[in-house]
């Protein structure tokens, strides 16, 4: 059975894991993984925030366009009823 992660087989993945353990040591790997997880979470939150800002801006522009495309008579009727 081979892993299909970047077309690597089990042997290659094991060598990479072994090198990581030898390089960082088994005690510091959880700390590194935790830091990596926090970094990825912050990146995801930031991208979601940017996406929300873009959607809000697009919604505001859409409302502005719809408001400006109304005929003058409709706008006058709305002002009289307000």
């Amino acid at each position: 059975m081979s892993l299909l992660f970047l077309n690597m087989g089990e042997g290659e993945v094991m060598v990479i894991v072994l090198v990581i353990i030898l390089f960082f040591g088994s005690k510091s790997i959880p700390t590194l993984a935790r830091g990596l997880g926090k970094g990825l979470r912050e990146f995801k939150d930031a991208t979601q925030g940017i996406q929300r800002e873009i959607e809000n801006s697009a919604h505001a522009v859409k409302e502005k366009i719809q408001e400006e495309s109304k005929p003058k008579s409709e706008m006058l009727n709305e002002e009289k009823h307000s």
Side-chain angles (χ1 to χ4, degrees), residues 18-71:
L18 181 65
V19 168
I20 290 172
I21 290 173
L22 289 174
F23 189 70
F24 292 109
S26 61
K27 292 183 181 180
S28 65
I29 290 176
T31 306
L32 292 172
R34 224 179 342 264
L36 181 62
K38 286 180 182 179
L40 289 174
R41 190 175 323 118
E42 288 177 13
F43 180 76
K44 182 180 175 185
D45 292 343
T47 56
Q48 287 176 348
I50 292 170
Q51 183 179 4
R52 257 186 264 113
E53 288 180 26
I54 291 171
E55 288 172 356
N56 291 341
S57 297
H59 184 69
V61 169
K62 183 180 177 183
E63 287 179 350
K64 181 94 171 161
I65 290 171
Q66 287 176 349
E67 182 180 307
E68 291 180 1
S69 66
K70 287 183 181 179

